[in-house]
Amino acid sequence: DQQVKQNSPSLSVQEGRISILNCDYTNSMFDYFLWYKKYPAEGPTFLISISSIKDKNEDGRFTVFLNKSAKHLSLHIVPSQPGDSAVYFCAASPTGGFKTIFGAGTRLFVKA
Amino acid sequence: DTEVTQTPKHLVMGMTNKKSLKCEQHMGHRAMYWYKQKAKKPPELMFVYSYEKLSINESVPSRFSPECPNSSLLNLHLHALQPEDSALYLCASKAREGLEPQHFGDGTRLSIL
């Protein structure tokens, strides 16, 4: 049973436009959410996070929105750049502890 | 450059071999992780060490044996693996329990013949 779901395996966006990557979760115990970016032949790199007490966190071109009632979060990248082309993993952690559950990932293609 | 270093980057081994994967971090992190990732799948948690003690084992077969010799090092000993164990093995570390991101190494690509 997937507790973190990324229903879009891939997304293609024109350079300069907005990329929106979506993620849904089922476990109400999750209170910390993260986005990781992964290039081929490299490990995932932490991008941005949000705790359940917030509904928005912004870092430069990257903004994460959290809708707790819908158990949904999204990552907005504005403006998108060709270097943003990678696989993006949504992840969630429950209160306390060390576990993190990952979604299946969305491959983003940003076309020049 | 990643702050979590994994060696080797690639490993090919037979089903009867014994080998070890190594992970090292010098960020003073007190939690270290092993993940397994198959193609087009998310990383799957295998083991978590917290303060050098095994705190989570996700029902991993005994042919995988983790070891944490000190707070900077994490090993994964492999023995009698099966072809379906071929995957990317990722190591990660985290400063402490709670609302902190994990830092990942670039992984070891393991192929079982």
Side-chain angles (χ1 to χ4, degrees), chain B residues 34-36 44-47 56-58 60 64 76 89:
Chain B
W34 281 115
Y35 286 88
K36 174 183 178 179
E44 290 179 28
L45 183 64
M46 300 174 73
F47 303 103
I56 297 177
N57 175 344
E58 291 288 276
V60 179
F64 294 92
L76 186 63
Y89 288 83

Side-chain angles (χ1 to χ4, degrees), chain A residues 24-78:
Chain A
D24 298 293
Y25 62 96
T26 57
N27 191 337
S28 303
M29 296 301 292
F30 290 148
D31 64 354
Y32 184 54
F33 303 90
L34 311 96
W35 285 94
Y36 286 86
K37 175 178 173 180
K38 187 178 186 304
Y39 292 117
E42 293 183 12
T45 303
F46 169 68
L47 196 56
I48 191 168
S49 64
I50 188 167
S51 74
S52 58
I53 62 171
K54 294 187 173 183
D55 55 18
K56 177 183 173 181
N57 188 26
E58 197 170 346
D59 183 2
R61 298 186 295 114
F62 303 92
T63 303
V64 56
F65 294 92
L66 176 62
N67 182 333
K68 288 187 290 295
S69 60
K71 294 192 175 69
H72 177 84
L73 63 154
S74 61
L75 174 69
H76 292 211
I77 306 173
V78 182

Side-chain angles (χ1 to χ4, degrees), chain A residues 67-112:
Chain A
N67 182 333
K68 288 187 290 295
S69 60
K71 294 192 175 69
H72 177 84
L73 63 154
S74 61
L75 174 69
H76 292 211
I77 306 173
V78 182
S80 301
Q81 299 173 355
D84 296 329
S85 298
V87 177
Y88 289 78
F89 290 100
C90 171
S93 294
T95 304
F98 292 97
K99 244 183 178 176
T100 301
I101 309 297
F102 286 82
T106 296
R107 184 174 296 276
L108 174 66
F109 299 93
V110 180
K111 297 175 287 188

